[in-house]
PDB file of all heavy atoms in Angstrom:
ATOM      1  N   MET A1060     -11.485 -19.425 108.852  1.00 85.00           N
ATOM      2  CA  MET A1060     -11.936 -18.151 109.458  1.00 85.00           C
ATOM      3  C   MET A1060     -12.228 -17.146 108.326  1.00 85.00           C
ATOM      4  O   MET A1060     -11.469 -17.058 107.392  1.00 85.00           O
ATOM      5  CB  MET A1060     -10.840 -17.611 110.383  1.00 85.00           C
ATOM      6  CG  MET A1060     -11.322 -16.469 111.240  1.00 85.00           C
ATOM      7  SD  MET A1060     -10.033 -15.997 112.422  1.00 85.00           S
ATOM      8  CE  MET A1060      -9.925 -14.280 112.054  1.00 85.00           C
ATOM      9  N   TYR A1061     -13.332 -16.440 108.476  1.00 86.00           N
ATOM     10  CA  TYR A1061     -13.720 -15.419 107.483  1.00 86.00           C
ATOM     11  C   TYR A1061     -13.294 -14.062 107.968  1.00 86.00           C
ATOM     12  O   TYR A1061     -13.770 -13.610 109.017  1.00 86.00           O
ATOM     13  CB  TYR A1061     -15.228 -15.489 107.293  1.00 86.00           C
ATOM     14  CG  TYR A1061     -15.742 -14.811 106.046  1.00 86.00           C
ATOM     15  CD1 TYR A1061     -15.435 -15.318 104.784  1.00 86.00           C
ATOM     16  CD2 TYR A1061     -16.439 -13.633 106.116  1.00 86.00           C
ATOM     17  CE1 TYR A1061     -15.862 -14.695 103.644  1.00 86.00           C
ATOM     18  CE2 TYR A1061     -16.926 -13.005 104.983  1.00 86.00           C
ATOM     19  CZ  TYR A1061     -16.634 -13.540 103.731  1.00 86.00           C
ATOM     20  OH  TYR A1061     -17.090 -12.954 102.596  1.00 86.00           O
ATOM     21  N   THR A1062     -12.412 -13.446 107.270  1.00 96.00           N
ATOM     22  CA  THR A1062     -11.854 -12.154 107.731  1.00 96.00           C
ATOM     23  C   THR A1062     -12.476 -10.971 107.016  1.00 96.00           C
ATOM     24  O   THR A1062     -13.152 -11.105 105.978  1.00 96.00           O
ATOM     25  CB  THR A1062     -10.328 -12.115 107.484  1.00 96.00           C
ATOM     26  OG1 THR A1062     -10.122 -12.112 106.066  1.00 96.00           O
ATOM     27  CG2 THR A1062      -9.587 -13.242 108.094  1.00 96.00           C
ATOM     28  N   ILE A1063     -12.235  -9.789 107.559  1.00 96.00           N
ATOM     29  CA  ILE A1063     -12.692  -8.542 106.941  1.00 96.00           C
ATOM     30  C   ILE A1063     -12.121  -8.424 105.574  1.00 96.00           C
ATOM     31  O   ILE A1063     -12.786  -7.990 104.624  1.00 96.00           O
ATOM     32  CB  ILE A1063     -12.262  -7.338 107.849  1.00 96.00           C
ATOM     33  CG1 ILE A1063     -13.108  -7.259 109.104  1.00 96.00           C
ATOM     34  CG2 ILE A1063     -12.298  -6.044 107.080  1.00 96.00           C
ATOM     35  CD1 ILE A1063     -14.561  -6.777 108.866  1.00 96.00           C
ATOM     36  N   GLU A1064     -10.827  -8.811 105.417  1.00 96.00           N
ATOM     37  CA  GLU A1064     -10.201  -8.713 104.127  1.00 96.00           C
ATOM     38  C   GLU A1064     -10.892  -9.570 103.075  1.00 96.00           C
ATOM     39  O   GLU A1064     -11.063  -9.141 101.926  1.00 96.00           O
ATOM     40  CB  GLU A1064      -8.726  -9.166 104.230  1.00 96.00           C
ATOM     41  CG  GLU A1064      -7.817  -8.154 104.895  1.00 96.00           C
ATOM     42  CD  GLU A1064      -7.919  -8.227 106.422  1.00 96.00           C
ATOM     43  OE1 GLU A1064      -8.485  -9.194 106.951  1.00 96.00           O
ATOM     44  OE2 GLU A1064      -7.397  -7.299 107.080  1.00 96.00           O
ATOM     45  N   MET A1065     -11.313 -10.780 103.486  1.00 96.00           N
ATOM     46  CA  MET A1065     -12.030 -11.681 102.556  1.00 96.00           C
ATOM     47  C   MET A1065     -13.345 -11.082 102.187  1.00 96.00           C
ATOM     48  O   MET A1065     -13.760 -11.103 100.988  1.00 96.00           O
ATOM     49  CB  MET A1065     -12.218 -13.058 103.228  1.00 96.00           C
ATOM     50  CG  MET A1065     -10.930 -13.841 103.327  1.00 96.00           C
ATOM     51  SD  MET A1065     -11.066 -15.171 104.531  1.00 96.00           S
ATOM     52  CE  MET A1065     -12.042 -16.340 103.605  1.00 96.00           C
ATOM     53  N   ALA A1066     -14.035 -10.543 103.180  1.00 96.00           N
ATOM     54  CA  ALA A1066     -15.345  -9.917 102.900  1.00 96.00           C
ATOM     55  C   ALA A1066     -15.167  -8.754 101.984  1.00 96.00           C
ATOM     56  O   ALA A1066     -15.978  -8.539 101.060  1.00 96.00           O
ATOM     57  CB  ALA A1066     -15.988  -9.468 104.232  1.00 96.00           C
ATOM     58  N   TYR A1067     -14.155  -7.941 102.195  1.00 97.00           N
ATOM     59  CA  TYR A1067     -13.884  -6.749 101.382  1.00 97.00           C
ATOM     60  C   TYR A1067     -13.575  -7.156  99.936  1.00 97.00           C
ATOM     61  O   TYR A1067     -14.064  -6.549  98.970  1.00 97.00           O
ATOM     62  CB  TYR A1067     -12.743  -5.942 101.970  1.00 97.00           C
ATOM     63  CG  TYR A1067     -12.508  -4.633 101.277  1.00 97.00           C
ATOM     64  CD1 TYR A1067     -13.426  -3.568 101.440  1.00 97.00           C
ATOM     65  CD2 TYR A1067     -11.419  -4.441 100.410  1.00 97.00           C
ATOM     66  CE1 TYR A1067     -13.233  -2.399 100.790  1.00 97.00           C
ATOM     67  CE2 TYR A1067     -11.249  -3.242  99.749  1.00 97.00           C
ATOM     68  CZ  TYR A1067     -12.151  -2.210  99.940  1.00 97.00           C
ATOM     69  OH  TYR A1067     -11.971  -1.013  99.307  1.00 97.00           O
ATOM     70  N   ALA A1068     -12.725  -8.210  99.786  1.00 97.00           N
ATOM     71  CA  ALA A1068     -12.393  -8.713  98.434  1.00 97.00           C
ATOM     72  C   ALA A1068     -13.612  -9.164  97.695  1.00 97.00           C
ATOM     73  O   ALA A1068     -13.813  -8.885  96.528  1.00 97.00           O
ATOM     74  CB  ALA A1068     -11.371  -9.835  98.564  1.00 97.00           C
ATOM     75  N   ARG A1069     -14.504  -9.870  98.441  1.00 97.00           N
ATOM     76  CA  ARG A1069     -15.727 -10.352  97.811  1.00 97.00           C
ATOM     77  C   ARG A1069     -16.628  -9.197  97.380  1.00 97.00           C
ATOM     78  O   ARG A1069     -17.233  -9.198  96.315  1.00 97.00           O
ATOM     79  CB  ARG A1069     -16.484 -11.261  98.829  1.00 97.00           C
ATOM     80  CG  ARG A1069     -17.747 -11.880  98.336  1.00 97.00           C
ATOM     81  CD  ARG A1069     -17.492 -12.891  97.238  1.00 97.00           C
ATOM     82  NE  ARG A1069     -18.718 -13.416  96.725  1.00 97.00           N
ATOM     83  CZ  ARG A1069     -19.008 -13.604  95.439  1.00 97.00           C
ATOM     84  NH1 ARG A1069     -18.124 -13.263  94.547  1.00 97.00           N
ATOM     85  NH2 ARG A1069     -20.177 -14.083  95.048  1.00 97.00           N
ATOM     86  N   MET A1070     -16.682  -8.202  98.271  1.00 97.00           N
ATOM     87  CA  MET A1070     -17.518  -6.995  97.969  1.00 97.00           C
ATOM     88  C   MET A1070     -17.018  -6.331  96.697  1.00 97.00           C
ATOM     89  O   MET A1070     -17.805  -5.936  95.858  1.00 97.00           O
ATOM     90  CB  MET A1070     -17.433  -6.070  99.153  1.00 97.00           C
ATOM     91  CG  MET A1070     -18.454  -4.959  99.162  1.00 97.00           C
ATOM     92  SD  MET A1070     -18.358  -3.970 100.645  1.00 97.00           S
ATOM     93  CE  MET A1070     -16.826  -3.059 100.331  1.00 97.00           C
ATOM     94  N   ARG A1071     -15.705  -6.210  96.562  1.00 97.00           N
ATOM     95  CA  ARG A1071     -15.087  -5.576  95.392  1.00 97.00           C
ATOM     96  C   ARG A1071     -15.440  -6.426  94.113  1.00 97.00           C
ATOM     97  O   ARG A1071     -15.730  -5.839  93.073  1.00 97.00           O
ATOM     98  CB  ARG A1071     -13.552  -5.473  95.502  1.00 97.00           C
ATOM     99  CG  ARG A1071     -13.104  -4.586  96.626  1.00 97.00           C
ATOM    100  CD  ARG A1071     -13.363  -3.113  96.351  1.00 97.00           C
ATOM    101  NE  ARG A1071     -12.768  -2.701  95.073  1.00 97.00           N
ATOM    102  CZ  ARG A1071     -13.135  -1.586  94.399  1.00 97.00           C
ATOM    103  NH1 ARG A1071     -14.061  -0.801  94.878  1.00 97.00           N
ATOM    104  NH2 ARG A1071     -12.541  -1.282  93.270  1.00 97.00           N
ATOM    105  N   GLU A1072     -15.374  -7.747  94.231  1.00 97.00           N
ATOM    106  CA  GLU A1072     -15.718  -8.622  93.130  1.00 97.00           C
ATOM    107  C   GLU A1072     -17.157  -8.373  92.679  1.00 97.00           C
ATOM    108  O   GLU A1072     -17.398  -8.230  91.459  1.00 97.00           O
ATOM    109  CB  GLU A1072     -15.615 -10.094  93.560  1.00 97.00           C
ATOM    110  CG  GLU A1072     -14.367 -10.807  93.181  1.00 97.00           C
ATOM    111  CD  GLU A1072     -14.326 -12.171  93.804  1.00 97.00           C
ATOM    112  OE1 GLU A1072     -15.288 -12.932  93.715  1.00 97.00           O
ATOM    113  OE2 GLU A1072     -13.290 -12.494  94.429  1.00 97.00           O
ATOM    114  N   LEU A1073     -18.057  -8.362  93.607  1.00 96.00           N
ATOM    115  CA  LEU A1073     -19.458  -8.141  93.296  1.00 96.00           C
ATOM    116  C   LEU A1073     -19.658  -6.789  92.649  1.00 96.00           C
ATOM    117  O   LEU A1073     -20.443  -6.627  91.718  1.00 96.00           O
ATOM    118  CB  LEU A1073     -20.332  -8.273  94.524  1.00 96.00           C
ATOM    119  CG  LEU A1073     -20.408  -9.681  95.113  1.00 96.00           C
ATOM    120  CD1 LEU A1073     -21.097  -9.714  96.462  1.00 96.00           C
ATOM    121  CD2 LEU A1073     -21.123 -10.629  94.142  1.00 96.00           C
ATOM    122  N   GLN A1074     -18.976  -5.800  93.166  1.00 96.00           N
ATOM    123  CA  GLN A1074     -19.081  -4.411  92.631  1.00 96.00           C
ATOM    124  C   GLN A1074     -18.606  -4.402  91.185  1.00 96.00           C
ATOM    125  O   GLN A1074     -19.284  -3.782  90.311  1.00 96.00           O
ATOM    126  CB  GLN A1074     -18.222  -3.488  93.480  1.00 96.00           C
ATOM    127  CG  GLN A1074     -18.476  -1.991  93.165  1.00 96.00           C
ATOM    128  CD  GLN A1074     -19.820  -1.526  93.684  1.00 96.00           C
ATOM    129  OE1 GLN A1074     -20.073  -1.663  94.850  1.00 96.00           O
ATOM    130  NE2 GLN A1074     -20.615  -0.952  92.818  1.00 96.00           N
ATOM    131  N   GLU A1075     -17.505  -5.063  90.899  1.00 96.00           N
ATOM    132  CA  GLU A1075     -16.993  -5.075  89.502  1.00 96.00           C
ATOM    133  C   GLU A1075     -17.963  -5.800  88.591  1.00 96.00           C
ATOM    134  O   GLU A1075     -18.178  -5.332  87.453  1.00 96.00           O
ATOM    135  CB  GLU A1075     -15.622  -5.780  89.477  1.00 96.00           C
ATOM    136  CG  GLU A1075     -14.486  -4.867  89.909  1.00 96.00           C
ATOM    137  CD  GLU A1075     -13.174  -5.608  89.955  1.00 96.00           C
ATOM    138  OE1 GLU A1075     -12.975  -6.611  89.254  1.00 96.00           O
ATOM    139  OE2 GLU A1075     -12.337  -5.205  90.790  1.00 96.00           O
ATOM    140  N   MET A1076     -18.517  -6.926  89.052  1.00 95.00           N
ATOM    141  CA  MET A1076     -19.474  -7.649  88.219  1.00 95.00           C
ATOM    142  C   MET A1076     -20.665  -6.774  87.950  1.00 95.00           C
ATOM    143  O   MET A1076     -21.171  -6.757  86.819  1.00 95.00           O
ATOM    144  CB  MET A1076     -19.908  -8.928  88.995  1.00 95.00           C
ATOM    145  CG  MET A1076     -18.983 -10.084  88.797  1.00 95.00           C
ATOM    146  SD  MET A1076     -19.240 -11.420  89.968  1.00 95.00           S
ATOM    147  CE  MET A1076     -21.008 -11.750  89.743  1.00 95.00           C
ATOM    148  N   ALA A1077     -21.135  -6.064  88.953  1.00 94.00           N
ATOM    149  CA  ALA A1077     -22.326  -5.159  88.736  1.00 94.00           C
ATOM    150  C   ALA A1077     -21.997  -4.074  87.750  1.00 94.00           C
ATOM    151  O   ALA A1077     -22.830  -3.774  86.892  1.00 94.00           O
ATOM    152  CB  ALA A1077     -22.746  -4.568  90.097  1.00 94.00           C
ATOM    153  N   ASN A1078     -20.791  -3.525  87.851  1.00 92.00           N
ATOM    154  CA  ASN A1078     -20.405  -2.439  86.921  1.00 92.00           C
ATOM    155  C   ASN A1078     -20.305  -2.995  85.484  1.00 92.00           C
ATOM    156  O   ASN A1078     -20.741  -2.324  84.573  1.00 92.00           O
ATOM    157  CB  ASN A1078     -19.071  -1.825  87.350  1.00 92.00           C
ATOM    158  CG  ASN A1078     -19.231  -0.999  88.599  1.00 92.00           C
ATOM    159  OD1 ASN A1078     -20.327  -0.603  88.991  1.00 92.00           O
ATOM    160  ND2 ASN A1078     -18.100  -0.708  89.231  1.00 92.00           N
ATOM    161  N   ARG A1079     -19.705  -4.199  85.338  1.00 90.00           N
ATOM    162  CA  ARG A1079     -19.561  -4.773  84.025  1.00 90.00           C
ATOM    163  C   ARG A1079     -20.981  -5.037  83.446  1.00 90.00           C
ATOM    164  O   ARG A1079     -21.205  -4.736  82.268  1.00 90.00           O
ATOM    165  CB  ARG A1079     -18.802  -6.101  84.106  1.00 90.00           C
ATOM    166  CG  ARG A1079     -17.361  -5.931  83.711  1.00 90.00           C
ATOM    167  CD  ARG A1079     -16.746  -7.268  83.376  1.00 90.00           C
ATOM    168  NE  ARG A1079     -16.769  -8.193  84.494  1.00 90.00           N
ATOM    169  CZ  ARG A1079     -15.828  -8.260  85.427  1.00 90.00           C
ATOM    170  NH1 ARG A1079     -14.809  -7.451  85.381  1.00 90.00           N
ATOM    171  NH2 ARG A1079     -15.904  -9.104  86.444  1.00 90.00           N
ATOM    172  N   SER A1080     -21.862  -5.572  84.287  1.00 86.00           N
ATOM    173  CA  SER A1080     -23.216  -5.910  83.825  1.00 86.00           C
ATOM    174  C   SER A1080     -23.925  -4.627  83.400  1.00 86.00           C
ATOM    175  O   SER A1080     -24.546  -4.597  82.350  1.00 86.00           O
ATOM    176  CB  SER A1080     -23.994  -6.536  84.980  1.00 86.00           C
ATOM    177  OG  SER A1080     -25.354  -6.548  84.720  1.00 86.00           O
ATOM    178  N   ARG A1081     -23.775  -3.551  84.190  1.00 84.00           N
ATOM    179  CA  ARG A1081     -24.436  -2.273  83.851  1.00 84.00           C
ATOM    180  C   ARG A1081     -23.874  -1.733  82.552  1.00 84.00           C
ATOM    181  O   ARG A1081     -24.642  -1.233  81.688  1.00 84.00           O
ATOM    182  CB  ARG A1081     -24.197  -1.285  85.009  1.00 84.00           C
ATOM    183  CG  ARG A1081     -25.222  -0.145  84.995  1.00 84.00           C
ATOM    184  CD  ARG A1081     -25.001   0.768  86.209  1.00 84.00           C
ATOM    185  NE  ARG A1081     -25.104   0.039  87.459  1.00 84.00           N
ATOM    186  CZ  ARG A1081     -24.185   0.167  88.467  1.00 84.00           C
ATOM    187  NH1 ARG A1081     -23.157   0.935  88.351  1.00 84.00           N
ATOM    188  NH2 ARG A1081     -24.359  -0.503  89.585  1.00 84.00           N
ATOM    189  N   ALA A1082     -22.561  -1.766  82.379  1.00 80.00           N
ATOM    190  CA  ALA A1082     -21.943  -1.255  81.160  1.00 80.00           C
ATOM    191  C   ALA A1082     -22.384  -2.069  79.979  1.00 80.00           C
ATOM    192  O   ALA A1082     -22.674  -1.491  78.897  1.00 80.00           O
ATOM    193  CB  ALA A1082     -20.415  -1.333  81.277  1.00 80.00           C
ATOM    194  N   HIS A1083     -22.520  -3.378  80.126  1.00 76.00           N
ATOM    195  CA  HIS A1083     -22.939  -4.258  79.048  1.00 76.00           C
ATOM    196  C   HIS A1083     -24.386  -3.922  78.623  1.00 76.00           C
ATOM    197  O   HIS A1083     -24.703  -3.825  77.477  1.00 76.00           O
ATOM    198  CB  HIS A1083     -22.841  -5.708  79.428  1.00 76.00           C
ATOM    199  CG  HIS A1083     -23.307  -6.658  78.383  1.00 76.00           C
ATOM    200  ND1 HIS A1083     -22.567  -6.845  77.246  1.00 76.00           N
ATOM    201  CD2 HIS A1083     -24.385  -7.411  78.266  1.00 76.00           C
ATOM    202  CE1 HIS A1083     -23.223  -7.715  76.460  1.00 76.00           C
ATOM    203  NE2 HIS A1083     -24.353  -8.059  77.060  1.00 76.00           N
ATOM    204  N   GLN A1084     -25.258  -3.755  79.654  1.00 81.00           N
ATOM    205  CA  GLN A1084     -26.663  -3.406  79.367  1.00 81.00           C
ATOM    206  C   GLN A1084     -26.737  -2.104  78.614  1.00 81.00           C
ATOM    207  O   GLN A1084     -27.513  -1.933  77.705  1.00 81.00           O
ATOM    208  CB  GLN A1084     -27.455  -3.361  80.677  1.00 81.00           C
ATOM    209  CG  GLN A1084     -27.747  -4.708  81.224  1.00 81.00           C
ATOM    210  CD  GLN A1084     -28.320  -4.654  82.624  1.00 81.00           C
ATOM    211  OE1 GLN A1084     -28.526  -3.578  83.183  1.00 81.00           O
ATOM    212  NE2 GLN A1084     -28.588  -5.815  83.207  1.00 81.00           N
ATOM    213  N   LYS A1085     -25.934  -1.135  79.044  1.00 76.00           N
ATOM    214  CA  LYS A1085     -25.951   0.213  78.413  1.00 76.00           C
ATOM    215  C   LYS A1085     -25.573   0.079  76.937  1.00 76.00           C
ATOM    216  O   LYS A1085     -26.255   0.618  76.086  1.00 76.00           O
ATOM    217  CB  LYS A1085     -24.983   1.093  79.159  1.00 76.00           C
ATOM    218  CG  LYS A1085     -25.273   2.572  79.001  1.00 76.00           C
ATOM    219  CD  LYS A1085     -24.306   3.416  79.789  1.00 76.00           C
ATOM    220  CE  LYS A1085     -24.772   3.701  81.208  1.00 76.00           C
ATOM    221  NZ  LYS A1085     -23.836   4.552  81.929  1.00 76.00           N
ATOM    222  N   SER A1086     -24.512  -0.673  76.627  1.00 77.00           N
ATOM    223  CA  SER A1086     -24.080  -0.766  75.241  1.00 77.00           C
ATOM    224  C   SER A1086     -25.062  -1.588  74.429  1.00 77.00           C
ATOM    225  O   SER A1086     -25.307  -1.285  73.262  1.00 77.00           O
ATOM    226  CB  SER A1086     -22.650  -1.390  75.173  1.00 77.00           C
ATOM    227  OG  SER A1086     -22.700  -2.744  75.619  1.00 77.00           O
ATOM    228  N   ALA A1087     -25.640  -2.580  75.048  1.00 76.00           N
ATOM    229  CA  ALA A1087     -26.682  -3.414  74.299  1.00 76.00           C
ATOM    230  C   ALA A1087     -27.859  -2.557  73.987  1.00 76.00           C
ATOM    231  O   ALA A1087     -28.421  -2.646  72.880  1.00 76.00           O
ATOM    232  CB  ALA A1087     -27.059  -4.593  75.180  1.00 76.00           C
ATOM    233  N   ALA A1088     -28.295  -1.702  74.912  1.00 77.00           N
ATOM    234  CA  ALA A1088     -29.434  -0.829  74.677  1.00 77.00           C
ATOM    235  C   ALA A1088     -29.084   0.189  73.576  1.00 77.00           C
ATOM    236  O   ALA A1088     -29.923   0.494  72.717  1.00 77.00           O
ATOM    237  CB  ALA A1088     -29.805  -0.099  75.969  1.00 77.00           C
ATOM    238  N   ALA A1089     -27.889   0.671  73.576  1.00 76.00           N
ATOM    239  CA  ALA A1089     -27.441   1.646  72.553  1.00 76.00           C
ATOM    240  C   ALA A1089     -27.455   0.992  71.182  1.00 76.00           C
ATOM    241  O   ALA A1089     -27.867   1.599  70.200  1.00 76.00           O
ATOM    242  CB  ALA A1089     -26.056   2.162  72.922  1.00 76.00           C
ATOM    243  N   GLU A1090     -26.990  -0.282  71.121  1.00 78.00           N
ATOM    244  CA  GLU A1090     -27.000  -0.989  69.839  1.00 78.00           C
ATOM    245  C   GLU A1090     -28.408  -1.185  69.356  1.00 78.00           C
ATOM    246  O   GLU A1090     -28.674  -0.993  68.150  1.00 78.00           O
ATOM    247  CB  GLU A1090     -26.301  -2.371  69.997  1.00 78.00           C
ATOM    248  CG  GLU A1090     -24.803  -2.275  69.981  1.00 78.00           C
ATOM    249  CD  GLU A1090     -24.168  -3.590  70.342  1.00 78.00           C
ATOM    250  OE1 GLU A1090     -24.760  -4.644  70.011  1.00 78.00           O
ATOM    251  OE2 GLU A1090     -23.079  -3.562  70.945  1.00 78.00           O
ATOM    252  N   ARG A1091     -29.340  -1.557  70.233  1.00 81.00           N
ATOM    253  CA  ARG A1091     -30.726  -1.752  69.817  1.00 81.00           C
ATOM    254  C   ARG A1091     -31.315  -0.429  69.296  1.00 81.00           C
ATOM    255  O   ARG A1091     -31.959  -0.444  68.285  1.00 81.00           O
ATOM    256  CB  ARG A1091     -31.546  -2.231  71.025  1.00 81.00           C
ATOM    257  CG  ARG A1091     -31.513  -3.739  71.221  1.00 81.00           C
ATOM    258  CD  ARG A1091     -32.641  -4.240  72.091  1.00 81.00           C
ATOM    259  NE  ARG A1091     -32.644  -3.577  73.423  1.00 81.00           N
ATOM    260  CZ  ARG A1091     -31.890  -4.015  74.451  1.00 81.00           C
ATOM    261  NH1 ARG A1091     -31.130  -5.025  74.339  1.00 81.00           N
ATOM    262  NH2 ARG A1091     -31.961  -3.395  75.616  1.00 81.00           N
ATOM    263  N   ALA A1092     -31.045   0.675  69.991  1.00 79.00           N
ATOM    264  CA  ALA A1092     -31.547   1.935  69.540  1.00 79.00           C
ATOM    265  C   ALA A1092     -30.994   2.295  68.184  1.00 79.00           C
ATOM    266  O   ALA A1092     -31.699   2.833  67.332  1.00 79.00           O
ATOM    267  CB  ALA A1092     -31.199   3.010  70.589  1.00 79.00           C
ATOM    268  N   GLU A1093     -29.698   2.020  67.990  1.00 77.00           N
ATOM    269  CA  GLU A1093     -29.022   2.304  66.704  1.00 77.00           C
ATOM    270  C   GLU A1093     -29.661   1.496  65.613  1.00 77.00           C
ATOM    271  O   GLU A1093     -29.919   2.042  64.502  1.00 77.00           O
ATOM    272  CB  GLU A1093     -27.540   2.005  66.870  1.00 77.00           C
ATOM    273  CG  GLU A1093     -26.708   2.438  65.648  1.00 77.00           C
ATOM    274  CD  GLU A1093     -26.801   3.990  65.382  1.00 77.00           C
ATOM    275  OE1 GLU A1093     -26.756   4.764  66.368  1.00 77.00           O
ATOM    276  OE2 GLU A1093     -26.916   4.344  64.217  1.00 77.00           O
ATOM    277  N   LYS A1094     -29.953   0.224  65.840  1.00 79.00           N
ATOM    278  CA  LYS A1094     -30.565  -0.625  64.787  1.00 79.00           C
ATOM    279  C   LYS A1094     -31.932  -0.110  64.448  1.00 79.00           C
ATOM    280  O   LYS A1094     -32.297  -0.048  63.293  1.00 79.00           O
ATOM    281  CB  LYS A1094     -30.640  -2.073  65.305  1.00 79.00           C
ATOM    282  CG  LYS A1094     -29.344  -2.830  65.157  1.00 79.00           C
ATOM    283  CD  LYS A1094     -29.534  -4.262  65.541  1.00 79.00           C
ATOM    284  CE  LYS A1094     -28.150  -4.963  65.617  1.00 79.00           C
ATOM    285  NZ  LYS A1094     -27.976  -5.790  66.817  1.00 79.00           N
ATOM    286  N   LYS A1095     -32.683   0.245  65.457  1.00 79.00           N
ATOM    287  CA  LYS A1095     -34.042   0.766  65.280  1.00 79.00           C
ATOM    288  C   LYS A1095     -33.981   2.056  64.397  1.00 79.00           C
ATOM    289  O   LYS A1095     -34.732   2.226  63.453  1.00 79.00           O
ATOM    290  CB  LYS A1095     -34.669   1.060  66.610  1.00 79.00           C
ATOM    291  CG  LYS A1095     -36.199   1.129  66.554  1.00 79.00           C
ATOM    292  CD  LYS A1095     -36.792   1.417  67.921  1.00 79.00           C
ATOM    293  CE  LYS A1095     -36.825   0.194  68.817  1.00 79.00           C
ATOM    294  NZ  LYS A1095     -37.454   0.463  70.081  1.00 79.00           N
ATOM    295  N   HIS A1096     -33.042   2.922  64.730  1.00 73.00           N
ATOM    296  CA  HIS A1096     -32.853   4.172  64.057  1.00 73.00           C
ATOM    297  C   HIS A1096     -32.444   3.959  62.586  1.00 73.00           C
ATOM    298  O   HIS A1096     -32.950   4.599  61.676  1.00 73.00           O
ATOM    299  CB  HIS A1096     -31.798   4.999  64.769  1.00 73.00           C
ATOM    300  CG  HIS A1096     -31.722   6.401  64.266  1.00 73.00           C
ATOM    301  ND1 HIS A1096     -32.729   7.341  64.478  1.00 73.00           N
ATOM    302  CD2 HIS A1096     -30.750   7.070  63.614  1.00 73.00           C
ATOM    303  CE1 HIS A1096     -32.354   8.474  63.938  1.00 73.00           C
ATOM    304  NE2 HIS A1096     -31.172   8.360  63.392  1.00 73.00           N
ATOM    305  N   ALA A1097     -31.540   2.968  62.370  1.00 80.00           N
ATOM    306  CA  ALA A1097     -31.031   2.665  61.015  1.00 80.00           C
ATOM    307  C   ALA A1097     -32.127   2.108  60.170  1.00 80.00           C
ATOM    308  O   ALA A1097     -32.194   2.342  58.969  1.00 80.00           O
ATOM    309  CB  ALA A1097     -29.843   1.720  61.124  1.00 80.00           C
ATOM    310  N   ALA A1098     -33.023   1.293  60.784  1.00 77.00           N
ATOM    311  CA  ALA A1098     -34.096   0.645  60.031  1.00 77.00           C
ATOM    312  C   ALA A1098     -35.077   1.681  59.496  1.00 77.00           C
ATOM    313  O   ALA A1098     -35.755   1.460  58.483  1.00 77.00           O
ATOM    314  CB  ALA A1098     -34.847  -0.344  60.911  1.00 77.00           C
ATOM    315  N   LYS A1099     -35.235   2.818  60.167  1.00 69.00           N
ATOM    316  CA  LYS A1099     -36.187   3.866  59.731  1.00 69.00           C
ATOM    317  C   LYS A1099     -35.765   4.519  58.438  1.00 69.00           C
ATOM    318  O   LYS A1099     -36.581   4.964  57.640  1.00 69.00           O
ATOM    319  CB  LYS A1099     -36.334   4.900  60.859  1.00 69.00           C
ATOM    320  CG  LYS A1099     -37.253   4.461  61.982  1.00 69.00           C
ATOM    321  CD  LYS A1099     -37.443   5.558  63.018  1.00 69.00           C
ATOM    322  CE  LYS A1099     -38.246   5.097  64.169  1.00 69.00           C
ATOM    323  NZ  LYS A1099     -38.213   6.034  65.305  1.00 69.00           N
ATOM    324  N   ARG A1100     -34.463   4.599  58.240  1.00 61.00           N
ATOM    325  CA  ARG A1100     -33.969   5.329  57.091  1.00 61.00           C
ATOM    326  C   ARG A1100     -34.156   4.565  55.794  1.00 61.00           C
ATOM    327  O   ARG A1100     -34.228   3.402  55.711  1.00 61.00           O
ATOM    328  CB  ARG A1100     -32.466   5.633  57.252  1.00 61.00           C
ATOM    329  CG  ARG A1100     -32.275   6.893  58.020  1.00 61.00           C
ATOM    330  CD  ARG A1100     -30.805   7.253  58.091  1.00 61.00           C
ATOM    331  NE  ARG A1100     -30.340   7.229  59.444  1.00 61.00           N
ATOM    332  CZ  ARG A1100     -29.117   6.960  59.806  1.00 61.00           C
ATOM    333  NH1 ARG A1100     -28.198   6.699  58.929  1.00 61.00           N
ATOM    334  NH2 ARG A1100     -28.749   6.958  61.061  1.00 61.00           N
TER     335      ARG A1100
END
């Protein structure tokens, strides 16, 4: 049986994964920008 609790737990898992993914993309983009900036000097 699939309960509300199970659905809620799954929802939280997906939310955490999305947040981690977003944070990773943000830091990766920042690193790329930093490298580009450093190469100009």
Side-chain angles (χ1 to χ4, degrees):
M1060 191 174 128
Y1061 196 69
T1062 64
I1063 285 287
E1064 286 81 11
M1065 289 161 75
Y1067 187 73
R1069 182 67 181 135
M1070 195 176 71
R1071 295 291 304 161
E1072 259 174 51
L1073 291 171
Q1074 190 72 55
E1075 279 175 29
M1076 276 165 52
N1078 288 343
R1079 261 199 298 274
S1080 165
R1081 200 177 302 132
H1083 179 72
Q1084 284 170 0
K1085 203 178 270 182
S1086 65
E1090 280 172 32
R1091 275 198 303 274
E1093 187 60 42
K1094 279 186 189 134
K1095 199 180 282 182
H1096 190 69
K1099 281 182 183 169
R1100 274 187 244 149

